[in-house]
Amino acid sequence: MKVVLVGYMASGKSSVGRSLAKQMDMEFLDLDEYIEAHEKKTIEAIFADKGEIYFRKLEHQLLGQVLDEKHNMVLSTGGGTPCYGKNMDTILEKSDNSVYLQLPIAVLADRISKEKETRPLVKNLSDDELPKFIGKHLFERRQFYANAKHTIDCAHKSLEEVVTEIKKLL
Ligand code: S3P
């Protein structure tokens, strides 16, 4: 079985994915980490050295590759992964289950403000600018995330509660 988690930056895709995979005895793969290992560079360094377009092409190529090669995995994607090219169609075609982890803007802004440094798209924004940026960004991206087979409202839920909810959907 292949399960793909999508959602905005800091929505918990990696933590939820890691815990879900462990409980289901499946392989866990984080697409950002896979890209970093492939390039032998951090995401920030890829953006800084080669630019976002290079990153998006690589993200597209490696998404297709892992979905073709792995057969029993939970994959957490990057916040932008489903929103470029035909990536969301690929996710829907090649996975058994996709889940959108949905959170309110205020919660995302609060979490992102504490971990901006590793995220090139937000690292130069002040905390005051974050909610407006995220609101606008989500307005564009929500339509892609919403195509996932399932949506989970993660507000006021612990990681464990989110994982339990996903397990019931599978
Ligand atoms: C991005 C999200 C990041 C990473 C890159 C771009 C985005 O992943 O792929 O910085 O476009 O939202 P996370 O969602 O894991 O932060």
Side-chain angles (χ1 to χ4, degrees):
M1 177 167 57
K2 286 178 235 184
V3 181
V4 179
L5 303 181
V6 303
Y8 202 69
M9 289 179 260
S11 56
K13 302 177 295 283
S14 303
S15 333
V16 168
R18 196 167 279 115
S19 173
L20 177 68
K22 198 168 172 203
Q23 293 182 34
M24 304 275 299
D25 206 16
M26 290 163 77
E27 183 178 353
F28 170 68
L29 231 140
D30 180 303
L31 189 61
D32 281 338
E33 285 175 12
Y34 194 80
I35 294 170
E36 289 180 332
H38 181 274
E39 289 291 282
K40 300 185 181 65
K41 268 183 192 180
T42 62
I43 298 290
E44 303 146 78
I46 301 171
F47 267 72
D49 299 348
K50 306 253 177 112
E52 183 171 355
I53 293 175
Y54 177 86
F55 172 80
R56 295 300 173 196
K57 284 186 181 158
L58 196 60
E59 180 180 48
H60 171 77
Q61 178 203 326
L62 295 179
L63 171 72
Q65 189 175 308
V66 294
L67 285 170
D68 282 338
E69 284 174 4
K70 307 279 179 182
H71 297 288
N72 190 36
M73 70 158 174
V74 177
L75 175 70
S76 72
T77 56
T81 312
C83 317
Y84 290 86
K86 291 201 167 21
N87 289 350
M88 194 63 216
D89 292 341
T90 304
I91 291 170
L92 289 170
E93 249 168 56
K94 298 189 175 181
S95 69
D96 307 284
N97 278 289
S98 44
V99 185
Y100 168 29
L101 304 183
Q102 190 175 41
L103 273 166
I105 293 168
V107 178
L108 294 170
D110 189 50
R111 287 192 191 174
I112 291 173
S113 73
K114 294 175 189 126
E115 30 180 88
K116 273 191 292 204
E117 279 319 302
T118 55
R119 295 189 159 99
L121 296 181
V122 290
K123 69 187 286 190
N124 296 321
L125 297 176
S126 69
D127 286 354
D128 288 348
E129 289 170 316
L130 271 179
K132 195 170 165 202
F133 175 86
I134 296 170
K136 196 164 162 257
H137 219 186
L138 266 180
F139 180 72
E140 294 159 2
R141 289 181 166 193
R142 200 178 279 128
Q143 57 187 315
F144 296 96
Y145 300 147
N147 285 325
K149 201 163 163 187
H150 308 284
T151 295
I152 294 196
D153 176 4
C154 300
H156 312 299
K157 286 180 194 152
S158 67
L159 183 140
E160 216 30 69
E161 285 169 325
V162 174
V163 172
T164 304
E165 208 169 309
I166 297 177
K167 283 201 301 189
K168 284 187 196 146
L169 297 172
L170 304 181

